[in-house]
Amino acid sequence: MATLIAPPNHSPLEDAEALRKAVKGWGADGKGIIAILGHRNATQRTQIREAYHDLFQEDLIKRLESELSGDFERAMYRWILEPAEREALLANIALRNANKNFQVIVEISCVLSPEELFVMRRAYHNRYKRSLEEDLLVGLVSSFRYGGNEINARLAQSEADVLHEAIKDKNRNHEEVIRILTTRSKTQLVATFNRYRDDHGIAITK
């Protein structure tokens, strides 16, 4: 596995100025962005974000959000952001999509613990000045779901079928999907998703 070797004498101000040049104008300079952010450790990346904001009165992440797209955009977020902030931003991108990419919301809702989900919701509100629930228009993550380890196999079977029908018919009312995702434990959801994969030959996130 490659090891990140960050320069010990980097200048956050110089890096911020270089990033400004990389994102300014027609199209972003991806190689220039990687040359800087790809070779800085977590502490240095935080310093660069702070320096960028001080210099240009602009959030570096929001600037990147407006300039980047696709896998490169998501890779930058995973590299730069703290976990809760990253999940909040990825959720917002998914909800801004014209077709609303609920699969991203499903992944976030199922992977995070109730406590982590609460922190992510707070990060979402801090960043976008509105709640995740408002943007979803439903209480997808408003419930503090049960955190136990029990599995109900019959329930997993029936709810796997519900999810399959909802995904197959994109115009269907998603209330049942929301209910499942917000009230079932992570263990129960894993059982449901495994049943979904076994019955339909594809993972629910595909």
Side-chain angles (χ1 to χ4, degrees):
M1 181 180 293
T3 300
L4 171 64
I5 301 177
N9 58 344
H10 92 111
S11 166
L13 290 176
E14 291 180 3
D15 284 347
E17 290 172 344
L19 284 171
R20 179 68 169 185
K21 293 178 181 177
V23 299
K24 195 174 182 180
W26 185 259
D29 178 6
K31 291 183 179 179
I33 294 171
I34 292 173
I36 298 170
L37 296 178
H39 296 84
R40 303 292 185 267
N41 60 34
T43 300
Q44 292 171 337
R45 294 193 297 272
T46 298
Q47 293 171 344
I48 292 170
R49 287 184 64 186
E50 293 172 350
Y52 189 94
H53 186 273
D54 291 342
L55 283 173
F56 307 110
Q57 301 302 304
E58 180 181 54
D59 184 352
L60 174 59
I61 302 302
K62 288 187 177 179
R63 181 68 177 193
L64 291 174
E65 190 177 349
S66 68
E67 297 289 341
L68 305 180
S69 62
D71 292 340
F72 184 41
E73 179 186 25
R74 289 186 288 274
M76 282 293 99
Y77 296 151
R78 286 180 169 85
W79 182 242
I80 299 172
L81 296 173
E82 293 298 319
E85 192 178 9
R86 178 181 65 237
E87 304 296 354
L89 189 144
L90 291 174
N92 182 259
I93 292 173
L95 293 173
R96 288 205 320 265
N97 186 297
N99 296 320
K100 293 195 182 298
N101 188 354
F102 285 109
Q103 290 181 344
V104 172
I105 308 301
V106 167
E107 291 179 18
I108 292 172
S109 180
C110 297
V111 169
L112 301 184
S113 69
E115 293 80 9
E116 291 169 335
L117 197 57
F118 178 80
V119 174
M120 186 277 283
R121 288 167 56 205
R122 185 169 57 190
Y124 191 101
H125 189 275
N126 289 340
R127 182 169 187 80
Y128 299 106
K129 309 307 178 188
R130 59 184 182 273
S131 69
L132 177 56
E133 291 87 343
E134 288 179 86
D135 284 352
L136 279 168
L137 301 180
V138 289
L140 175 60
V141 293
S142 60
S143 300
F144 194 82
R145 68 170 178 260
Y146 174 62
N149 294 319
E150 297 85 357
I151 293 176
N152 184 323
R154 183 175 296 177
L155 184 65
Q157 173 72 70
S158 65
E159 294 189 339
D161 293 339
V162 170
L163 292 173
H164 180 257
E165 289 302 314
I167 291 173
K168 183 173 66 174
D169 182 1
K170 295 183 178 180
N171 294 321
R172 180 174 174 160
N173 191 314
H174 288 276
E175 289 183 3
E176 276 297 286
V177 177
I178 303 307
R179 179 188 60 77
I180 292 169
L181 297 179
T182 58
T183 61
R184 302 307 182 215
S185 69
K186 290 172 62 177
T187 304
Q188 183 66 38
L189 286 172
V190 168
T192 299
F193 295 160
N194 286 342
R195 173 52 57 189
Y196 183 102
R197 182 197 60 213
D198 293 344
D199 287 354
H200 304 291
I202 188 171
I204 193 171
T205 54
K206 297 297 183 182

